[in-house]
Amino acid sequence: LIDRYDTDKKSDIRKRAICLVNLITANRPSEMVRLKVGDFDLENRTVQVMMVKQGEMKEKRLTLECVQAVKRYIVSCELLLDDYFVGAADKWGNHTSRQISEISYNQAIQSWLGFAPYTFRKTQITEMYKKGADIPTIAKQSGHKSHQTIMEHYIKLRAYEVDEYL
């Protein structure tokens, strides 16, 4: 669904970058709306995220595709280091560096893709697990302190998956 925004329209460039960052980082909406352009280290494919629940900064990794989308967004919207990454935007994609509310962020993602942004978090955690990532690695990327939370709320094991190891 994110690839539908792989166009040359400024508003689509913005949407694609925001969605990819949310997906890859498994950020909560509260973390997405607080990101600033200066939090990104695109050379090292990382972003510093203020983990609101934990009250601390955490480094999260980015994919090359995500880095390219962020670079394209920064250039097309002429973003500055102190600008909010999500910020506000008009229907043409003109960016205003103003922190938006979590409710506004949720509504934007819902209107762009037809689901809540928390789905990005669930998808990333599930996909990392399916690819063989261990729980500490998933916890590092998603920002969970408790490995138990990941197992209880995100990872759903099926009988055939257990059978593989019997």
Side-chain angles (χ1 to χ4, degrees), residues 25-42:
T25 60
N27 280 343
R28 296 171 181 92
S30 62
E31 296 154 1
M32 286 300 296
V33 299
R34 287 171 174 76
L35 280 180
K36 291 201 170 191
V37 174
D39 295 331
F40 289 86
D41 179 352
L42 299 176

Side-chain angles (χ1 to χ4, degrees), residues 3-25:
D3 285 342
R4 76 170 70 164
Y5 297 112
D6 193 6
T7 74
D8 290 330
K9 285 176 46 183
K10 191 189 308 187
S11 61
D12 287 351
I13 292 168
R14 175 179 180 270
K15 290 172 187 176
R16 186 167 190 274
I18 291 169
C19 290
L20 281 172
V21 167
N22 200 159
L23 174 65
I24 300 306
T25 60

